[in-house]
Structures are given as structure tokens and as C-alpha cells.
Amino acid sequence: MEIRKKIGLALGSGAVRGLAHIGVIRTLIKHGIPIDYLAGSSVGAWVGAHFALYQDIEKTASLTIGNKKEKFFALLEPTIADGLVKGEKIELLLMEWLDNNSFSDLKIPFKIATTDLITGNKFAISEGKLANAVRASMAVPGFFKPVILQNKALVDGGISDPVPVDLVKELGAEIVIAVNLDFSPEILNIAPDQIGISNIATRTLKVMRHHLAQYSCLGADFIIEPQLQIYSSWRDYFINNNDQKIIDLAAEATEKIIPKLKEMIYN
């Protein structure tokens, strides 16, 4: 029997652009590419947890794309301490959709990237309840309250490890596919007159995310970077229904790596 290399998939942060992960996984499955290990950051943790548990991309797609009303109302949980939204309703939804399962129940080994505000370091979770870990990885600072776990104040994994290539390598991946949703080539080399007081803060954040994501991708054998720059608002998810456009663009970007990936698996 021919021995193949183990493949790890690192699913990056990216808010609404996280729908792209559905297109990536569907395309890999279509071409018979196995996924032996998974790691996810922020929305990548959401998609990764569902797929690692059910190993069913259509079920994962249904939970990711659908149930928009439930997700919207779960955000209506205001607080004035440590964030705008408590996040407890989000965790309850996650518990329901993940059947209250733990990492030990997963079909695919999986790690979740978070950031500890106390130490300032990234913190990987690979044990305990899935819902709690996913909630922590998606806790955007200032919007969601941090998740207190193991004497740590955990928030969005995208702050410290937006494309967790390092985590799938720790699991044992020999070939790593990174999905970078913070790729923003439009920030580079703009005209000086395009910079003004109204966009300095936004541009600064984009520059930081762009370069941090590139650094986070170091060590990956393949980097998938779908052109999703115009899809950055949750309006695209809740109102504009651009779900399929995002998924299709990710599928197209994934197709480009398939020939070389197939060559590499058995070499």
C-alpha cells in the first residue's frame, strides 16, 4: 500500500469571510484530498470544530450559512463590563449545534487558537468543551467579553495567530494548507492623497492584520488567499446574502493548488 503524507488544514480568522472555509473544504473533498489535522482561529475555529466533529461538510455548511436569525438574536445580549456582548447566548447555540461535545469526541484532531490578554501570548486549546473554546477564539476584544479559562482571559485568536499553521504542525501535519482570509493587497502602494483622517485608523488595522497573517502563514506548503477584500461587513452575511459568492471565490482559489498538492502527497 502506498504511504501518503499527513495533511493539515489551518483555517484563518476573517469574520464574515470565514464562509470561504466551506469552499476550501468542499473542493479538497471533491478531489479526494484527505484532511488529517485541523486548526482554526476565530471564525476558522467555528468551521473547524463543526467539520472535525461531524466530518460532514454539508452539515457544517448548513450550520455556518444558515440559522441567521438565531445568530443575530444571540448577539442581543448587552453588557457594560469588559465588552458590549456577553457571549453566553452564542455559547449556548454552539453547545446545541456541537451537541455539547468535547475535543475528545472529534473525528479529526483539532486545535483552536486564542489570545490570553493577561500574558499577551497566544494560547492553544485542544481539550475540554468545544463550545467554550470556539466562543473564546471568536471573542473580538471590546465587542465580546473575554472567556475566563485556566486563569486566563481569552479573546480572538486572530490577534496573535490568525492562520494557525504552527498548531497543525504540532498535531503532526507533514503538508500544511493555510487559508489566509486577511490577505489585503489593496492596502499596498496607494497614492498619498488616498490617506486622510477619516481612514487612517481603518487602514492601520488592515496593514497590521495583513502582515500578521502573512507572518502566521510561515511554514505552510500551500497558502490559499481568495480575493475577498470587498466582503468585510457582517451586512454581507445578514442582509446582502453574499454567502455563495464568498464560497465560490474560495473554491476557485483552492482549485489552483490541487495539481501540485496531489503530486506532493505521495512524494
Side-chain angles (χ1 to χ4, degrees):
M1 185 175 75
E2 196 169 15
I3 299 175
R4 66 167 179 82
K5 294 178 180 175
K6 299 290 187 178
I7 298 173
L9 182 60
L11 302 175
S13 61
V16 67
R17 297 188 297 275
L19 294 166
H21 295 318
I22 301 299
V24 171
I25 296 173
R26 271 185 181 156
T27 304
L28 294 175
I29 291 171
K30 182 180 79 172
H31 289 281
I33 304 297
I35 300 172
D36 300 293
Y37 304 105
L38 277 164
S41 185
S42 198
V43 70
W46 165 287
V47 176
H50 288 84
F51 186 71
L53 178 63
Y54 299 115
Q55 227 169 0
D56 180 343
I57 189 55
E58 297 314 319
K59 184 178 180 69
T60 302
S62 175
L63 292 169
T64 303
I65 298 168
N67 306 102
K68 293 184 180 182
K69 183 184 294 185
E70 292 90 334
K71 292 170 187 171
F72 178 78
F73 283 110
L75 295 173
L76 302 181
E77 189 186 23
T79 180
I80 57 173
D82 304 325
L84 298 176
V85 178
K86 288 182 181 179
E88 293 173 5
K89 289 184 178 179
I90 290 288
E91 186 166 343
L92 287 173
L93 282 180
L94 285 164
M95 287 174 63
E96 178 185 345
W97 294 336
L98 292 166
D99 290 332
N100 199 27
N101 278 301
S102 301
F103 280 85
S104 58
D105 300 305
L106 295 175
K107 294 181 174 68
I108 301 173
F110 180 49
K111 284 191 175 188
I112 287 178
T114 69
T115 305
D116 179 16
L117 286 183
I118 295 174
T119 64
N121 295 325
K122 59 187 175 185
F123 179 72
I125 305 177
S126 57
E127 59 183 17
K129 291 293 184 180
L130 286 167
N132 189 242
V134 173
R135 174 190 168 191
S137 189
M138 295 176 65
V140 177
F143 189 76
F144 289 107
K145 287 184 64 173
V147 173
I148 306 303
L149 181 69
Q150 299 179 27
N151 296 317
K152 301 179 187 300
L154 302 179
V155 295
D156 195 340
I159 296 172
S160 58
D161 200 5
V163 193
V165 167
D166 55 328
L167 299 188
V168 283
K169 284 195 164 188
E170 288 174 8
L171 286 168
E174 298 167 282
I175 298 174
V176 176
I177 305 167
V179 186
N180 178 13
L181 305 182
D182 282 318
F183 177 65
S184 303
E186 79 280 2
I187 67 170
L188 306 174
N189 300 317
I190 66 171
D193 60 5
Q194 291 181 274
I195 299 176
I197 190 66
S198 63
N199 68 355
I200 284 178
T202 301
R203 179 167 171 76
T204 300
L205 183 59
K206 282 187 176 182
V207 169
M208 291 172 61
R209 292 183 66 91
H210 174 84
H211 289 293
L212 178 58
Q214 287 193 320
Y215 178 78
S216 196
C217 284
L218 292 177
D221 299 284
F222 299 92
I223 303 174
I224 299 170
E225 295 175 321
Q227 302 296 306
L228 301 173
Q229 293 77 24
I230 64 171
Y231 304 108
S232 60
S233 168
W234 280 105
R235 176 181 293 270
D236 289 311
Y237 179 75
F238 285 112
I239 298 175
N240 295 340
N241 291 317
N242 284 316
D243 309 343
Q244 197 57 50
K245 293 178 184 177
I246 295 172
I247 292 169
D248 289 345
L249 286 169
E252 290 172 14
T254 307
E255 288 285 354
K256 295 177 183 178
I257 74 164
I258 295 299
K260 184 65 177 177
L261 176 58
K262 285 184 174 180
E263 286 180 16
M264 197 172 184
I265 290 175
Y266 294 102
N267 291 332

